[in-house]
Amino acid sequence: MQPTSPRIAPGRLRELGPVNWLVWQVLSRATGTDDAHLFSTLGRTGGLFRGWLHFSGRLMPGGSLSRFETELVILRVAHLRECEYETDHHIRLGKRAGVDRDILERLRTGPDAEGWSAKQRALLTAVDQLVTQRDIDDAVWTALAAHYDEQRLIEIVLLVNQYEGLASTITTLRIQTDH
């Protein structure tokens, strides 16, 4: 459901300041839009925005997981949280990483859908548990650990929680989807 109006309007030069205004312009174009509302809204926080961008960018696109796996995680979180903004944004980014319509349909069904590899199924099951239970049980952790080293296991937990928290932020602030 698309909210009728944002709780905090996207900023422009006056609200963002020159540095965040420039960052917003660059990131908007990089994501294929003239106005990435997420960045023009969060940019209103000054230096906090740039700190968040650094952390977020280290997870995506700068993480050690493949871009395909990263987009699977993000799109599954967005689906579970019913976050239209995150979904729309990452469908565009996911296409660049190989996420096609068939994969999107499987993501909507979840880890039990036909066609996932054992590694992908373990990853998506972990995402589901983190979002719905705020933890990963031992059986799923063992399945996940069969495919990922310790660094990537930590990164998966951070990535899921980053995008789950971002979905909460987007929903609470009523950030509108990009045009």
Side-chain angles (χ1 to χ4, degrees):
M1 177 172 79
Q2 180 69 21
T4 57
S5 63
R7 287 184 165 159
I8 297 175
R12 295 299 177 250
L13 181 58
R14 181 186 314 189
E15 297 85 14
L16 300 176
V19 173
N20 286 358
W21 183 87
L22 182 61
V23 170
W24 160 62
Q25 290 288 306
V26 169
L27 290 173
S28 290
R29 282 172 182 72
T31 58
T33 184
D34 290 333
D35 181 0
H37 293 139
L38 174 66
F39 303 127
S40 58
T41 301
L42 298 186
R44 296 176 70 119
T45 64
L48 178 60
F49 172 59
R50 293 184 302 278
W52 170 79
L53 272 178
H54 177 74
F55 171 72
S56 186
R58 294 290 295 161
L59 289 168
M60 197 297 290
S64 61
L65 296 173
S66 74
R67 274 304 294 276
F68 180 78
E69 291 170 314
T70 299
E71 292 300 336
L72 289 181
V73 167
I74 295 167
L75 285 162
R76 185 64 183 161
V77 169
H79 173 75
L80 291 171
R81 288 300 315 274
E82 299 177 6
C83 184
E84 185 180 346
Y85 187 99
E86 212 167 61
T87 300
D88 288 350
H89 186 76
H90 282 277
I91 284 174
R92 288 194 308 266
L93 296 176
K95 284 180 186 176
R96 298 179 198 168
V99 178
D100 61 23
R101 282 197 169 129
D102 291 340
I103 293 169
L104 284 172
E105 280 305 311
R106 277 193 276 150
L107 277 169
R108 289 181 183 107
T109 302
D112 294 331
E114 293 294 321
W116 296 123
S117 68
K119 182 179 184 181
Q120 292 164 342
R121 190 175 313 282
L123 179 63
L124 294 171
T125 303
V127 170
D128 282 19
Q129 284 193 358
L130 272 171
V131 171
T132 62
Q133 300 172 24
R134 308 304 306 145
D135 194 6
I136 299 173
D137 69 33
D138 290 340
V140 172
W141 183 263
T142 299
L144 195 61
H147 303 285
Y148 296 97
D149 63 19
E150 290 179 346
Q151 176 185 347
R152 284 170 186 78
L153 289 167
I154 295 167
E155 185 176 328
I156 289 165
V157 174
L158 288 171
L159 180 67
V160 170
N161 284 303
Q162 157 66 9
Y163 280 89
E164 204 278 333
L166 187 55
S168 292
T169 301
I170 291 165
T171 300
T172 301
L173 296 178
R174 311 291 192 256
I175 296 174
Q176 303 285 296
T177 55
D178 301 334
H179 306 292

